Amino acid sequence: PSDKAMVCFGNMFIELPKARTREMLQKDQEHLDEEINKLRKELRVKVNRLFEAQGKSELKGFNLNPMSAEEMKLINRILEG
């Protein structure tokens, strides 16, 4: 068991310490989660504007938020036992 991990950047592999690699992946995942949430919020506004321009009523239930992983675990725990 080595304390280094091979990481692919573009078309090359670089060997980095596992702790540093884990930290980089966590930061990258957090950034991606923030971007996804930002795009979801913007999409809701754009869809509402589109429906308004078409003279249609606002979609019902469209402003719902997805459950977090922690909330899903709790729901599954309740359903199992």
Side-chain angles (χ1 to χ4, degrees):
S2 174
D3 64 335
K4 299 203 177 221
M6 295 294 288
V7 182
C8 180
F9 289 106
N11 61 353
M12 66 181 157
F13 284 89
I14 300 174
E15 194 171 18
L16 296 172
K18 284 185 180 180
R20 176 73 177 131
T21 304
R22 185 177 295 115
E23 180 183 316
M24 287 172 45
L25 289 173
Q26 287 173 345
K27 284 183 182 179
D28 193 36
Q29 186 63 48
E30 289 170 6
H31 175 71
L32 291 172
D33 289 340
E34 289 173 8
E35 286 294 317
I36 289 170
N37 289 331
K38 178 182 167 191
L39 290 172
R40 282 183 179 149
K41 288 178 185 175
E42 290 174 2
L43 178 64
R44 290 177 183 153
V45 172
K46 290 177 182 178
V47 169
N48 283 335
R49 265 195 255 143
L50 175 64
F51 270 76
E52 184 180 312
Q54 293 175 344
K56 296 181 180 178
S57 61
E58 185 177 309
L59 285 176
K60 302 243 187 273
F62 190 67
N63 290 325
L64 298 175
N65 292 321
M67 293 189 341
S68 67
E70 185 175 311
E71 290 171 327
M72 281 302 298
K73 286 179 187 176
L74 291 172
I75 295 291
N76 287 332
R77 194 177 302 158
I78 290 169
L79 291 175
E80 288 175 356

